[in-house]
Amino acid sequence: MPDLPHPVAPPDEAVLRAHAAAVLPLLGLAAEPAWEAPILQNLQVIAAAAALVLDFPLDETVEPAPRFEP
Amino acid sequence: MSAREAIAATLSRIEAIDPGLGAFTALTRERALARAGAVDRGEVTGPLAGTPFAVKNLFDVAGLPTLAGSRINRERPPATRDAFLIRQLEAAGAILVGALNMGEYAYDFTGENIHDGPSRNPHDLTRMTGGSSGGSGAAAGAGLVPLTLGSDTNGSIRVPSAFCGVFGLKPTFGRLSRAGTFPFVASFDHLGPMGLSVAGIAAAYDAMQGRDADDHWQADRPVEPTLPGLDAEGDLRVAVAGGYFARNAAPEALAAVRLAAEALGATGTVELPEAARARASAYVISAAEGAALHLDRLRTRAAEFDPATRDRLIAGAMIPAIWVQKAQRFRRWYREQVLALFEEVDLILAPSTPFRAPRLGQTTMIVDGREIPLRPNIGLFTQPISFIGLPVAAVPVRPEPGLPLGVQIIAAPWREDLALRAARRLERAGIAAAPVAAL
């Protein structure tokens, strides 16, 4: 079915903080304490951009743009 | 003057002026003089014979490590072969004189670089060049070389073209080979020329076309020269981008577009639908693909990155795949909507940047009476265009005395010829010009 046209709010800071805490070790990344705030800030900007994209209804026939030609 | 004397003079001028400008990170003195000697002996000919040029330091230059603006890449072994586009330009007679400063790993709109120092705006050394092809804008704007190469993922040719007051061309995605350059975002990376005249960048663009088996993303297009038709007469259907592209900009940025529109006989406005979402999608994809490219370096050498680059890349590494996939699907939808506009018009005009070059170190900007963060907003008007790979000629316009601004002349895919033809008309009408900065 097509994506539903419902508003998608960007995740709040606590959710993003928890996401970062879980995902960083999964990726083998370690952030020094001084980096944590700017990384979170950047994640918030990305999440806000993603919310704008996720919020847009697209028919399921719309395929991703990249294309591989062997 | 012989080519060798001319190149020697070019190198001397760079050595005299560049310490205060920060455009170059390396000079290729010996090979440049040797090449100039070959031109003098008639061994090298071509439409660009003897023309000096320099390249953003993400291009492979034989004998130099490919820095891509980073500290980490200084440890790379020197490149063993020039990038394809350098080979093409030299085959047409041009002479490489050096490599140029850039924002780290091309993830930048400012031209600032923590490792090499900022490239400085040649029209006001206290101001930004824009980035990430900052050295490419500075070197051309200062007249150190008439031609430079840059890369443009989200605006990195068009932004420094505007801030430094030079012409630029971001060709259609897939037009020019990217082989032999350090990547950033495979989905959006483009390469192109910047310079002091439309004919100059058109000649370079023509010379750089051609299939390269080393680039698996390059489109299978014939060489389509633009120079022969540059001064062709005939109507061009031109419109101005409204809506998103008419908001959040300083009045002078919109005045620059109006000037260009009047000179080109623009007949109305068109709206690129959902441009804000296009920009948001480009933002998400760039962060994710950039992070994926640099993940190993982020794991092992994160402290050696420019903090501004590192923090964005680490954040990008945590993006759920779902977000990227939706952005790529949106890209397909948006492309179809925008391409439909080109059934009615040949060219669409939009500002290159929302404002003139900010001061170095500046972090916010006042636009429409509101204070906005600087870095993410510099590319406000360029990202929705490169997102779908449209060709753009970026032209420098001064609606009033002072620092230059830029106008994007946007064409349908593969119609670089029309964008350059309009740029040439603006140049001939005196609306667009790239006077060399007085240094």
Side-chain angles (χ1 to χ4, degrees):
Chain A
M1 58 183 290
D3 296 331
L4 297 172
H6 58 85
V8 178
D12 67 25
E13 186 181 324
V15 171
L16 290 174
R17 195 182 292 280
H19 176 69
V23 173
L24 283 176
L26 178 71
L27 295 169
L29 291 167
E32 291 181 12
W35 308 351
E36 286 173 5
I39 289 171
L40 188 64
Q41 232 167 30
N42 277 294
L43 195 53
Q44 284 172 314
V45 173
I46 293 168
L52 202 56
V53 181
L54 295 169
D55 199 30
F56 191 71
L58 287 175
D59 192 273
E60 62 192 357
T61 58
V62 178
E63 294 182 329
R67 175 174 75 165
F68 173 71
E69 290 179 3
Chain B
M1 187 185 281
S2 70
R4 195 179 161 86
E5 287 166 338
I7 291 297
T10 294
L11 291 165
S12 296
R13 184 153 187 268
I14 294 169
E15 284 172 337
I17 289 176
D18 196 58
L21 189 65
F24 280 79
T25 54
L27 288 180
T28 51
R29 168 178 288 280
E30 298 309 318
R31 73 177 267 177
L33 290 170
R35 192 83 185 161
V39 170
D40 286 333
R41 292 189 297 276
E43 296 164 9
V44 176
T45 57
L48 297 172
T51 303
F53 74 104
V55 298
K56 187 173 184 174
N57 71 25
L58 56 63
F59 282 77
D60 285 351
V61 174
L64 297 177
T66 306
L67 302 184
S70 72
R71 171 176 159 188
I72 294 170
N73 280 28
R74 276 153 228 256
E75 297 167 16
R76 287 164 69 94
T80 55
R81 188 185 196 202
D82 293 334
F84 179 82
L85 298 190
I86 296 176
R87 301 201 306 272
Q88 291 289 94
L89 286 180
E90 290 211 324
I95 296 174
L96 180 74
V97 299
L100 298 163
N101 201 358
M102 59 176 282
E104 188 180 54
Y105 290 127
Y107 203 176
D108 167 63
F109 277 135
T110 67
E112 295 179 344
N113 183 300
I114 200 169
H115 313 297
D116 291 305
S119 49
R120 294 175 181 275
N121 193 305
H123 300 284
D124 180 344
L125 296 173
T126 68
R127 291 183 182 268
M128 294 177 180
T129 53
S132 63
S133 308
S136 307
L144 299 183
V145 284
L147 173 67
T148 61
L149 297 187
S151 67
D152 187 319
T153 302
N154 283 299
S156 287
I157 286 175
R158 292 162 286 161
V159 167
S161 291
F163 285 177
C164 296
V166 301
F167 293 92
L169 177 68
K170 185 203 76 60
T172 310
F173 182 78
R175 170 73 89 173
L176 298 180
S177 169
R178 305 186 300 192
T181 61
F182 199 87
F184 171 29
V185 177
S187 289
F188 307 143
D189 288 345
H190 305 69
L191 305 172
M194 299 164 70
L196 295 171
S197 71
V198 178
I201 61 169
Y205 165 67
D206 287 357
M208 291 190 289
Q209 292 183 54
R211 290 288 285 130
D212 175 15
D214 292 336
D215 183 346
H216 306 293
W217 286 64
Q218 193 182 22
D220 187 16
R221 298 284 304 188
V223 173
E224 294 170 303
T226 59
L227 209 47
L230 203 56
D231 288 308
E233 301 296 330
D235 289 340
L236 291 170
R237 299 172 301 166
V238 182
V240 173
Y244 174 93
F245 294 91
R247 295 191 295 268
N248 299 311
E252 56 269 25
L254 300 176
V257 174
R258 275 198 302 277
L259 267 181
E262 284 165 17
L264 292 172
T267 49
T269 61
V270 293
E271 185 136 2
L272 280 68
E274 301 292 347
R277 285 186 224 271
R279 179 186 172 232
S281 300
Y283 200 92
V284 170
I285 293 169
S286 295
E289 286 194 22
L293 177 73
H294 290 287
L295 186 63
D296 285 343
R297 278 178 286 275
L298 292 168
R299 278 177 174 149
T300 56
R301 307 184 65 171
E304 296 173 67
F305 279 76
D306 180 330
T309 315
R310 177 198 61 221
D311 297 340
R312 272 180 297 161
L313 287 174
I314 291 179
M318 296 187 274
I319 294 175
I322 294 286
W323 296 4
V324 178
Q325 189 72 353
K326 180 68 186 279
Q328 288 284 17
R329 291 180 59 223
F330 176 80
R331 189 179 176 205
R332 175 79 66 197
W333 178 89
Y334 177 71
R335 171 188 174 274
E336 285 168 13
Q337 310 304 310
V338 175
L339 290 191
L341 300 176
F342 287 105
E343 291 169 12
E344 307 294 327
V345 301
D346 298 312
L347 299 165
I348 300 171
L349 307 181
S352 294
T353 59
F355 34 71
R356 292 191 171 101
R359 294 194 180 284
L360 287 164
Q362 194 171 326
T363 56
T364 61
M365 195 82 194
I366 306 288
V367 174
D368 278 350
R370 288 185 308 125
E371 187 172 24
I372 57 172
L374 185 73
R375 277 175 180 262
N377 283 300
I378 296 176
L380 200 65
F381 299 137
T382 51
Q383 285 181 282
I385 310 303
S386 35
F387 179 52
I388 50 171
L390 301 178
V392 183
V395 300
V397 175
R398 284 176 172 81
E400 58 198 29
L403 291 169
L405 288 144
V407 175
Q408 298 185 82
I409 304 172
I410 304 157
W414 318 115
R415 296 314 306 264
E416 289 87 347
D417 60 328
L418 298 183
L420 287 167
R421 193 180 301 168
R424 176 74 174 136
R425 286 185 187 179
L426 292 177
E427 186 183 41
R428 281 166 53 194
I431 301 294
V436 168
L439 288 172

